[in-house]
Amino acid sequence: MTAPAPTPDTPLTGAPLRVLICDEMNPGDLDHAGYHIDYHGNLDRAETLRRLPDYDALITRSRTKVDRELIDAAGPRLKVIGRGGVGVDNIDLDYASLRGLLVLNAPESNNVSAAELAIMHLMAAARGLTGSDARTRAGTWDRKFLGIELKDKTLGIVGLGRIGSIVADRAQGLRMHIVAFDPYVPESKFERVGVKRAETLDDLLRQVDFLTVHTPLTDETTGMIGARELALLKKDAIVVNAARGGIIEEKALVDALKAGHLFGAGVDVFVEEPPTPEHVFLQAPNLGITAHLGANTREAQERVGAEIVSRVLDALKGDVSKGAVNAPALDPKTMEALGGYLTLGEKLGRIQAQLLPGAHDIEVTFRGEFPADPTPVVTSVLVGYLSGSTDERPNMINARALAKERGLNLAIREQADSPDYQTEVIVKVTSHTADRDRTRTVGGTVFGKSPRLTRLRDFRVELEPEGYILIASNEDKPGAVAKLSTLLGTWGVNIAGMALGRAQKGGQALFTLTLDDGLTPEQLQAIRELDVIESAYLVRA
């Protein structure tokens, strides 16, 4: 049986809803009308299994393992699982979702603490704190070290989400100049926080004295700061990673320190935690290390307990707009009718995020007669568009709230007829700048239960949106596909599928190639430099 997800109609009449807190935390006030909250810090597993069937919600930290055994032991009464803090590694998220259990966390509670730790690492690296401490403890009184002031220096921030924005605010108080790179954030936010925008990562790296990263760890951001990127920094720059291990390549960072290119660095996170005694960081010069302490302040721990309790109580009465980590499954009838369209919507959103990140407007148009109310497809478009660009993982519960926070304007349109297909979903995104507005349009339909791309810009195509898709435009003349195919062949890149489209004979044409493998930035640039190609983009569906 699938436990019912909480809805706005969840009654608060009769017996109070019961919440069990089984891990140690500071939960704040536990006296809430309509609820009975039991706090038992460090409750042992056997006792948790015994008590849980009598509760509507469970709140944990990282100690309690919420696995299949525990979820099954809870029985049908349990509706919500709350995790105090950011991660949910101790929760079997897939099984909880299958059982219809809503899983919540409270990542914002740690934002100030994480941002302040990044600032601490910037200052410690600038003044040689780690090296001076070690030498002084060893009996060497060395006053020759010359540090660097932060005042009037330029700080580069990669990722202007919640934590990155707080870092910018604190650094402005230190009289630093701030420039940030975040292609997923609209210009209005840069203006609101008073930060200069870098159009590319390379542009940011070339102009900063200090660098700090505050992005989620995704396929796109893993290793985004490697040897090439570190080499673009000014000599004697300072680099900090207090976000996620792996965003800055560990060996590349150590090599840059050993070569004397970097003045210093600070890290709070490792790819593998805890590190082994042989880890490259542990013998690196001018590197300050902390043990993933970003959230570890008394104030953050107090906030996280009170915040997760508040969110769990809100969820029990139907408000699931904050902190949702998963999305309880839609009812079987809706899934049967819209399953293919939900997948299509997410893919269209993900493609648009790569074609035009940082959009201000998203317009979703439904053409034709759908087998059920297509409104959930709009949310799946937002899930795809926001994936990898927010501090929280978007899902069918929180995507609209995240889009609103990001400043995205959403429009939904319906047309009774579709000129070419029985049904079609068109997604148009627009960004506004002082110079011009930029728009990208993609569309798709579903054959059986299989999504298909049907439109790119003003061109008709028909392509299965899977893997890597190379989108190229050219003048409608013979030879373009042959030249591009030959170039891909020299790189050993296999073409899995192809679709062609054109506006009119002899005019502009567009063709898409589905590739088995991705392309390097240098390979994509080589394609753009072909005399038969006007533009080329690579997206991953």
Side-chain angles (χ1 to χ4, degrees):
M1 291 291 291
T2 299
T7 70
D9 298 321
T10 302
L12 290 178
T13 57
L17 295 171
R18 302 191 69 197
V19 179
L20 173 64
I21 303 174
C22 63
D23 283 353
E24 189 173 351
M25 65 178 67
N26 186 341
D29 182 15
L30 299 181
D31 186 13
H32 296 267
Y35 301 94
H36 181 86
I37 303 174
D38 287 328
Y39 173 61
H40 299 280
N42 296 323
L43 192 67
D44 68 56
R45 184 172 180 85
E47 189 65 12
T48 302
L49 291 169
R50 186 185 71 80
R51 290 171 177 256
L52 198 51
D54 296 328
Y55 290 88
D56 301 278
L58 172 70
I59 296 177
T60 75
R61 291 300 303 271
S62 58
R63 184 188 67 92
T64 298
K65 190 173 183 179
V66 185
D67 53 15
R68 287 187 175 221
E69 180 190 31
L70 189 143
I71 292 171
D72 286 339
R77 180 167 178 173
L78 190 70
K79 300 177 181 66
V80 179
I81 300 170
R83 161 67 162 89
V86 180
V88 289
D89 296 342
N90 60 312
I91 300 173
D92 188 333
L93 198 58
D94 291 337
Y95 192 62
S97 299
L98 181 65
R99 288 290 307 275
L101 299 175
L102 178 66
V103 179
L104 306 169
N105 66 355
E108 304 93 334
S109 304
N110 305 328
N111 289 348
V112 170
S113 296
E116 288 183 353
L117 185 74
I119 293 291
M120 183 278 292
H121 270 296
L122 290 170
M123 300 180 77
R127 299 309 299 268
L129 179 64
T130 299
S132 183
D133 177 80
R135 286 190 294 272
T136 303
R137 291 177 185 275
T140 300
W141 187 254
D142 181 6
R143 298 191 63 217
K144 296 179 181 179
F145 180 85
L146 291 178
I148 298 174
E149 289 186 351
L150 276 67
K151 179 178 178 291
D152 294 329
K153 300 299 191 304
T154 299
L155 170 64
I157 301 175
V158 179
L160 200 61
R162 294 190 182 104
I163 296 175
S165 298
I166 297 172
V167 170
D169 176 72
R170 302 303 189 265
Q172 287 166 338
L174 295 170
R175 304 279 295 278
M176 299 187 80
H177 308 294
I178 317 297
V179 58
F181 170 70
D182 193 329
Y184 300 100
V185 170
E187 187 66 35
S188 57
K189 180 168 185 179
F190 283 83
E191 295 172 354
R192 186 168 68 251
V193 298
V195 172
K196 177 183 174 184
R197 181 172 202 152
E199 293 301 324
T200 67
L201 178 59
D202 286 3
D203 177 40
L204 175 94
L205 296 173
R206 290 189 178 101
Q207 60 181 303
V208 302
D209 305 292
F210 294 76
L211 176 71
T212 181
V213 295
H214 299 285
T215 71
L217 186 65
T218 65
D219 290 342
E220 180 184 5
T221 62
T222 298
M224 72 182 302
I225 309 293
R228 187 192 76 85
E229 289 75 21
L230 292 171
L232 294 177
L233 291 167
K234 299 176 183 178
K235 188 177 186 322
D236 287 338
I238 287 173
V239 174
V240 167
N241 182 7
R244 290 289 183 269
I247 295 173
I248 300 175
E249 290 184 3
E250 293 179 338
K251 185 177 183 303
L253 179 62
V254 172
D255 289 345
L257 287 166
K258 288 181 176 179
H261 180 63
L262 297 179
F263 185 85
V267 295
D268 183 50
V269 288
F270 295 71
V271 173
E272 298 291 339
E273 297 180 352
T276 64
E278 299 78 26
H279 196 284
V280 292
F281 279 170
L282 302 185
Q283 302 302 322
N286 304 321
L287 175 64
I289 297 171
T290 47
H292 206 148
L293 301 179
N296 287 21
T297 62
R298 295 176 182 177
E299 294 83 357
Q301 297 310 304
E302 290 175 359
R303 282 194 299 267
V304 76
E307 185 63 29
I308 194 60
V309 168
S310 174
R311 290 184 176 188
V312 165
L313 300 189
D314 285 345
L316 286 173
K317 61 184 178 184
D319 180 0
V320 296
S321 61
K322 294 181 180 179
V325 176
N326 69 334
L330 297 172
D331 66 87
K333 184 177 180 180
T334 301
M335 284 299 300
E336 177 66 24
L338 292 179
Y341 290 99
L342 295 171
T343 302
L344 171 67
E346 186 168 345
K347 286 179 177 291
L348 294 178
R350 189 179 301 119
I351 289 171
Q352 286 287 42
Q354 297 166 77
L355 293 176
L356 189 59
H360 298 81
D361 305 317
I362 295 184
E363 179 182 293
V364 181
T365 300
F366 297 109
R367 292 179 171 178
E369 294 294 328
F370 286 77
D373 179 5
T375 301
V377 179
V378 176
T379 308
S380 69
V381 170
L382 295 175
V383 169
Y385 191 81
L386 295 170
S387 294
S389 67
T390 63
D391 295 334
E392 295 182 51
R393 185 170 68 178
N395 55 55
M396 295 295 287
I397 293 176
N398 66 10
R400 290 193 180 230
L402 290 175
K404 184 177 181 180
E405 181 183 84
R406 179 55 61 89
L408 279 171
N409 299 311
L410 181 64
I412 304 171
R413 307 189 188 284
E414 294 186 18
Q415 298 178 6
D417 299 316
S418 177
D420 302 297
Y421 299 92
Q422 183 176 350
T423 58
E424 194 171 19
V425 181
I426 308 294
V427 179
K428 182 172 75 172
V429 299
T430 305
S431 68
H432 309 290
T433 65
D435 299 331
R436 63 190 176 107
D437 290 350
R438 298 174 62 202
T439 298
R440 294 288 183 270
T441 302
V442 299
T445 189
V446 173
F447 294 162
K449 294 185 179 181
S450 179
R452 290 290 190 277
L453 283 182
T454 59
R455 174 188 295 271
L456 287 166
R457 291 163 48 190
D458 294 326
F459 299 94
R460 280 296 186 188
V461 298
E462 190 171 304
L463 186 75
E464 188 173 359
E466 293 293 339
Y468 295 95
I469 302 174
L470 179 62
I471 304 169
S473 62
N474 63 292
E475 192 174 343
D476 185 22
K477 292 181 179 179
V481 176
K483 282 190 175 183
L484 178 53
S485 300
T486 300
L487 185 58
L488 291 172
T490 64
W491 297 328
V493 177
N494 190 52
I495 299 173
M498 178 184 298
L500 306 174
R502 64 184 182 184
Q504 61 184 19
K505 184 177 180 180
Q508 192 179 46
L510 179 140
F511 60 96
T512 59
L513 302 177
T514 305
L515 309 178
D516 287 344
D517 303 295
L519 300 173
T520 67
E522 293 76 17
Q523 289 172 332
L524 187 59
Q525 184 59 34
I527 291 171
R528 289 168 174 160
E529 291 173 357
L530 288 173
D531 58 0
V532 292
I533 299 297
E534 293 184 359
S535 66
Y537 300 91
L538 184 71
V539 299
R540 190 169 187 178

